Amino acid sequence: MKLIKLTAISAAVLASTAALAADPVIVVDDNAAVAYEAEPVAVAYEAEPAAYAYNADAGVVRNTTGAVLGGTKTLFQTAINPASVSAEVGTLGYGANIGWSVNEKTELQAGWAGGDAADLFGGDFDADDVNYDVDTDFSNPYLGVQLRPTGNWFTMGAGIIVPDNDIDVRANSEDNNYRINDVDYSADDVGTLQGTIEHRNKLAPYATVGFRPNITNNFGVFGEVGAAYMGKTDANVTATGNTPEATAAAQAAEQELEDKDWLEWFPIVKVGATYRF
């Protein structure tokens, strides 16, 4: 008899699941009444915070660190979805770069600048008493990082340039004379002094400071100043004259160009515009 009662009650329980969740169930036999209360299952769903939030003040994408290091996006997905692209012009040439935001204060950059940059810094320079006209063919791919240490427009940059720069020079005589290392050489005897300059460093570290204000949520501008350590230079100068004085003038000019300090620490001055995705 007890088995029949229990079977009937079990069938009733299976037929009314909703009642189980809301009300206690009482099982009765001949000797005792036992109450069983079914606990409802609690399921909580918590919305995940957005992986990226645009910071209009800083001009970068927030929370990319989690995406790169194992969040909702893989490193590959982050690499093919950059945060910004920029166009630039400066002493390293004309170029562009792509940026990936690590967090609201840090952005990784990969770019290139090159071409004929001589006209950007006047097309000539002075090495002691000799003025040289310059033609250039620059190629400067670079990898770097842009920091916003105070979270505003002020930036600090650092990285590595892989320079491959061709620099052609031609000396200008003054009053038909070249004065090199305090020695006068007649332009009639020397002819034309011309040559090439090449930096020795195959990797050139650089550092800059600048500003990067935003014009809109997507567009911004920037300016940077700094220097790259290109290392010592190798110069090769020849003279069109066929005289001992011409040979001596060419050798002196080579030495003077290799001692030129600003070619060792190459100035970086650039401006540009940025579009942020």
Side-chain angles (χ1 to χ4, degrees):
M1 189 64 180
K2 290 182 180 180
L3 179 60
I4 295 174
K5 289 182 180 180
L6 291 172
T7 302
I9 293 172
S10 298
V13 169
L14 291 174
S16 53
T17 304
L20 267 174
D23 301 314
V25 177
I26 301 175
V27 179
V28 182
D29 60 19
D30 291 340
N31 300 316
V34 181
Y36 299 91
E37 183 173 352
E39 295 185 2
V41 178
V43 180
Y45 296 92
E46 181 176 352
E48 294 186 1
Y52 295 88
Y54 183 78
N55 184 344
D57 293 329
V60 296
V61 178
R62 293 180 182 270
N63 300 334
T64 316
T65 304
V68 174
L69 300 180
T72 57
K73 291 181 67 179
T74 66
L75 179 62
F76 174 76
Q77 289 172 319
T78 301
I80 63 175
N81 291 279
S84 66
V85 293
S86 301
E88 64 183 58
V89 59
T91 52
L92 292 176
Y94 306 87
N97 67 64
I98 302 174
W100 294 269
S101 293
V102 176
N103 55 46
E104 64 182 6
K105 294 184 178 181
T106 307
E107 184 171 278
L108 302 179
Q109 290 183 338
W112 178 90
D116 186 0
D119 290 339
L120 296 174
F121 51 87
D124 66 342
F125 69 92
D126 293 327
D128 290 337
D129 295 323
V130 180
N131 178 262
Y132 290 88
D133 289 332
V134 184
D135 289 319
T136 60
D137 184 11
F138 280 4
S139 178
N140 292 293
Y142 62 88
L143 293 172
V145 59
Q146 280 288 332
L147 302 175
R148 296 175 182 264
T150 57
N152 56 17
W153 295 0
F154 175 71
T155 62
M156 300 176 63
I160 292 291
I161 300 172
V162 187
D164 182 13
N165 299 324
D166 296 327
I167 305 173
D168 297 326
V169 297
R170 185 179 65 256
N172 297 311
S173 63
E174 184 176 350
D175 297 328
N176 204 40
N177 181 73
Y178 298 105
R179 186 172 182 80
I180 306 172
N181 288 335
D182 297 325
V183 177
D184 292 321
Y185 300 90
S186 171
D188 292 334
D189 295 329
V190 173
T192 301
L193 284 173
Q194 57 189 7
T196 60
I197 302 172
E198 182 179 352
H199 291 101
R200 296 176 186 175
N201 280 11
K202 301 306 178 185
L203 294 175
Y206 73 87
T208 62
V209 294
F211 67 97
R212 288 178 174 260
N214 298 312
I215 306 303
T216 68
N217 282 340
N218 296 107
F219 287 98
V221 296
F222 66 88
E224 295 178 39
V225 295
Y229 183 69
M230 297 288 191
K232 296 289 186 178
T233 58
D234 291 321
N236 181 23
V237 178
T238 60
T240 58
N242 189 21
T243 65
E245 188 175 22
T247 302
Q251 291 174 346
E254 281 186 6
Q255 185 63 47
E256 194 171 62
L257 288 171
E258 289 179 352
D259 290 342
K260 184 65 175 173
D261 290 340
W262 76 265
L263 293 176
E264 182 177 353
W265 287 93
F266 197 85
I268 295 177
V269 179
K270 62 181 176 180
V271 294
T274 297
Y275 178 83
R276 297 194 176 278
F277 300 102

